Amino acid sequence: MVERHRREEAPQAPVDLDDKGRALELLLPGILAEFQPEIGATVNLVSVTVKSQDVPSVCRLVKEDPRLSFNFLMCLCVVDYEEHLQVVYHLYSTDMKHMMVLKANVSPEEPSLPSVTSLWTGADWYERESHDLFGVVFEGHPNMAPLLLYEGFEGFPGRRNYEMPEYKEW
Amino acid sequence: MLGNLKGLMVTFATFFRKPVTYKYPQEHKPIEDRYMGFPVLMWDEKVEEPYCTGCMVCVRYCPTQCMSAVMKDNPLHAEGKSTRRKIVDSFEINLGRCILCGICVDVCNFDAIEMSHEHELSKYARNDNRTNLPRLLEMGRSYQKESGWKPKPVKETKPEPETKTEEAVEAEN
Amino acid sequence: MVDLSTEGQLDTVQMMVNMGPQHPSTHGVFRMVLWVDGERIVDLEPHIGYLHRGSEKLCEGELYVQIVTLFDRMDYISNLNNEMIFCRAVERLMGLAVPERAEYIRVILCELNRVASHLLFCGTFGIDAGAMTPIMYAFRDREKIQSMFEAVTGARMMHNYIRIGGVKGDVPDDFSQRMGALLKVLRQGINETDKLLSFSEIFLARTKGIGVIDAETAIAYGMSGPSLRACGVPMDVRKDEPYSVYDRFDFGIPIGEKGDSWDRYYVRVEEMRQSMRIIEQALEQMPDGPTITPSRLVLRPPQGEVYVRGENPRGEIGVYLVSNGADKPYRVKVRPPSFCNLMAIKELLKDTYIADAVVILGSLDIVLGEVDR
Ligand code: SF4
Ligand code: SF4
């Protein structure tokens, strides 16, 4: 249990936003006020945490608001924090050239949240991949078939509690 | 039509150039000095023993876990001929699994392992690439002869992995 | 002209054709299930994952120094670019400064890698369109770049040369001279490939107006890199958010007009020329000094998460790195450019012909190692 001990005392990386990030940090609370977001920051980006069922409405808002216009879904991924799964959206705007992180927590037992494929077509494979590896169900996704794994694969190999099969060398 | 003709001119001009291909089994492409072939163990000619002490640092840092090493007491040290208290007893690298990354060379504190220029290694069975200590040393000696390899001057400031690896082992357990 | 439409004269049945995973035109193990009506593609279903090695999961179990080798193997055509993005992510998280000389070496090698990658594309794209000769020329030049890499990094493909905090070692003494000679040869070689292929009437007929995608759709799919720039969107991380020392060079971003296969091809040809401009400037400006900031062998970056962007030959790559302060990362997520570009294949291939499907897929320049990870 040396590792756990270390995790607690590990220092926090300092937040270091650029000008666009700072401007966003001031702008976002006003625009997203109705969703009661938690506005924070990762090392280099503004991060917004919202409730999982609010994700599509928040996404629509940040995509359509002319001050934000996040029209590019850069990356969608799931991080397994053991007590909860976190779905992380990295959004980018090709006009304003700024970027933000949107996060939503879901429970590991029954992870599900609404899909954003209707807003960004590019979310399609990301969501399928997340479904494969973490078992997160995206409601309203047109086709949730396995993408990277084969049909009938047992378990969610992306999760931290997944037991890797024993590897034997000849 | 014109575009096609231009293209034909290019191919025509190439007729008069020297070929750039090497007819492989008969003719080998020259190897650059820094080329990283398979890792081999070096032989200390002064004391007539390998440099390797079997300390296992490289084994722990190898990303593919393709090596293994065993350490023993050095009989030459007891006779006072060598400064190495411990020496490698057996060493094995599965060259079929090695990805030629060079990390083992970077972490070794004793200049005992080097990336040789050896790169052709086809075998009949898939397990034949497990290479043992005598073979590695033999490959090392031929590399030493070929490249005039010299151990680095003593005490270069390297980040000492020794103390940290203890931690790493601890964390692993 | 003969009227080739069969409407009303013949009954045709839709047929399902399985293209791949071992089809030579799919550039790896990529499978498409096509529903065709004669030669025309009515619908398709792409299948990926045949090369899924779980790289992201593997990263969670390796030390930071070892992960660089995994990134090498993700996009195996542009290894150095991939190494660089991971090293930059860790450096950003740790606030580690990189010596200037190392930055210049990185930029030179990455741009050289871009040229090599695009050369490979030009050759294979020629084959996809039915031209067998260009690949011989492209490979002749790419081979010279590989030899250069061998001289600098010690390996022809999986270099493990860019390390966290700098590069593994300084470049050889005759680096500038050799690079100068190499650039001269490359310039000539690229011109030759260009002459052979770009404006050949047959090639134009095969690629012009084939696989058109407009900027808006491309952005919605998250396409990036040359495939997006071909639609006329000048999006390039090297300009938008200059990393490393890219802000010190003068270079252009070639863009296309229509977003068809030919544009995607020609943007890459032009990009090679721009890359060589960058290399020339970098060689001139390269300062002396150390090439690595010494750091501990077992890195323990502080807790936090970081997302860094970079421009790969195939498009924009991103690495999302979550650290909990341990010696291994908590989560690594890669935004693979080919993955997003390939997603648009459904849009691009609708209502085209099977022969064009090969060209369109080729024009996206995918690397399956990166799509599946
Ligand atoms: S690190 Fe060097 S001395 Fe130690 S076992 Fe490996 S090769 Fe031998
Ligand atoms: S070169 Fe890399 S893979 Fe090969 S033995 Fe050394 S550390 Fe292991």
Side-chain angles (χ1 to χ4, degrees), chain A residues 6-47:
Chain A
R6 279 225 178 77
R7 195 180 301 166
E8 271 143 25
E9 64 181 8
Q12 204 77 32
V15 176
D16 172 23
L17 296 178
D18 55 359
D19 295 338
K20 283 175 192 150
R22 270 192 292 273
L24 267 181
E25 205 175 16
L26 297 177
L27 200 60
L28 279 168
I31 298 174
L32 295 177
E34 54 174 310
F35 301 105
Q36 296 145 353
E38 267 174 56
I39 309 237
T42 66
V43 170
N44 55 352
L45 296 170
V46 181
S47 83

Side-chain angles (χ1 to χ4, degrees), chain C residues 110-155:
Chain C
C110 283
E111 292 304 317
L112 204 54
N113 211 165
R114 192 184 309 274
V115 176
S117 164
H118 285 345
L119 272 174
L120 180 78
F121 164 79
C122 289
T124 51
F125 188 48
I127 288 196
D128 285 337
M132 293 299 280
T133 326
I135 194 161
M136 306 295 171
Y137 288 77
F139 261 72
R140 177 195 66 195
D141 299 329
R142 184 169 174 269
E143 180 61 34
K144 299 208 174 81
I145 301 183
Q146 301 295 61
S147 302
M148 190 72 210
F149 284 153
E150 189 185 318
V152 178
T153 69

Side-chain angles (χ1 to χ4, degrees), chain C residues 83-310:
Chain C
E83 287 173 18
M84 176 146 167
I85 186 81
F86 178 72
C87 293
R88 275 182 50 225
V90 182
E91 284 152 12
R92 187 79 176 80
L93 195 59
M94 298 182 39
L96 199 67
V98 180
E100 234 170 57
R101 189 174 171 83
E103 292 278 25
Y104 276 93
I105 295 173
R106 283 179 180 192
V107 166
I108 292 173
L109 292 180
C110 283
E111 292 304 317
L112 204 54
N113 211 165
R114 192 184 309 274
V115 176
S117 164
H118 285 345
L119 272 174
L120 180 78
F121 164 79
C122 289
T124 51
F125 188 48
I127 288 196
D128 285 337
M132 293 299 280
T133 326
I135 194 161
M136 306 295 171
Y137 288 77
F139 261 72
R140 177 195 66 195
D141 299 329
R142 184 169 174 269
E143 180 61 34
K144 299 208 174 81
I145 301 183
Q146 301 295 61
S147 302
M148 190 72 210
F149 284 153
E150 189 185 318
V152 178
T153 69
R156 293 165 61 81
M157 277 184 86
M158 309 300 169
H159 314 283
N160 194 15
Y161 178 67
I162 297 183
R163 300 289 169 87
I164 295 159
V167 293
K168 183 177 160 193
D170 207 345
V171 290
D173 297 332
D174 57 351
F175 182 67
S176 303
Q177 291 95 298
R178 279 187 74 169
M179 275 306 277
L182 176 66
L183 285 183
K184 213 179 278 164
V185 176
L186 278 183
R187 201 152 269 154
Q188 199 196 348
I190 291 170
N191 284 346
E192 271 179 8
T193 316
D194 194 15
K195 258 191 229 158
L196 262 180
L197 196 61
S198 303
F199 296 100
S200 155
E201 279 77 10
I202 307 168
F203 182 70
L204 286 175
R206 286 298 309 276
T207 53
K208 273 264 183 202
I210 304 291
V212 183
I213 190 162
D214 60 285
E216 210 173 307
T217 326
I219 287 176
Y221 271 105
M223 281 169 89
S224 54
S227 307
L228 178 63
R229 288 197 281 272
C231 315
V233 185
M235 183 172 141
D236 189 320
V237 191
R238 290 174 296 170
K239 278 269 190 226
D240 293 348
E241 211 178 274
Y243 55 91
S244 193
V245 286
Y246 275 113
D247 48 350
R248 301 186 195 172
F249 308 123
D250 167 35
F251 63 100
I253 306 175
I255 55 170
E257 288 160 14
K258 295 203 234 48
D260 56 7
S261 299
W262 192 81
D263 276 347
R264 283 195 281 277
Y265 160 79
Y266 207 65
V267 161
R268 289 188 169 96
V269 175
E270 283 298 321
E271 230 169 64
M272 287 197 270
R273 303 207 165 107
Q274 298 300 334
S275 287
M276 289 202 284
R277 271 180 69 197
I278 298 179
I279 298 173
E280 259 168 12
Q281 293 170 40
L283 279 174
E284 242 165 57
Q285 298 174 12
M286 195 150 85
D288 279 334
T291 51
I292 191 157
T293 313
S295 55
R296 293 161 62 108
L297 205 51
V298 180
L299 291 171
R300 290 181 201 281
Q303 266 187 49
E305 42 200 90
V306 70
Y307 183 88
V308 291
R309 307 162 62 199

Side-chain angles (χ1 to χ4, degrees), chain B residues 47-53 71-88:
Chain B
V47 208
E48 291 296 322
E49 66 178 14
Y51 278 101
C52 177
T53 57
M71 175 193 269
K72 68 170 181 204
D73 286 334
N74 190 359
L76 287 181
H77 180 72
E79 294 166 28
K81 285 192 194 140
S82 162
T83 49
R84 292 181 191 85
R85 209 170 303 152
K86 301 278 183 185
I87 199 87
V88 61

Side-chain angles (χ1 to χ4, degrees), chain B residues 41 52-58 91 108 110 112-113:
Chain B
L41 293 179
C52 177
T53 57
C55 68
M56 302 250 297
V57 170
C58 56
F91 200 98
C108 178
F110 303 96
I113 192 162

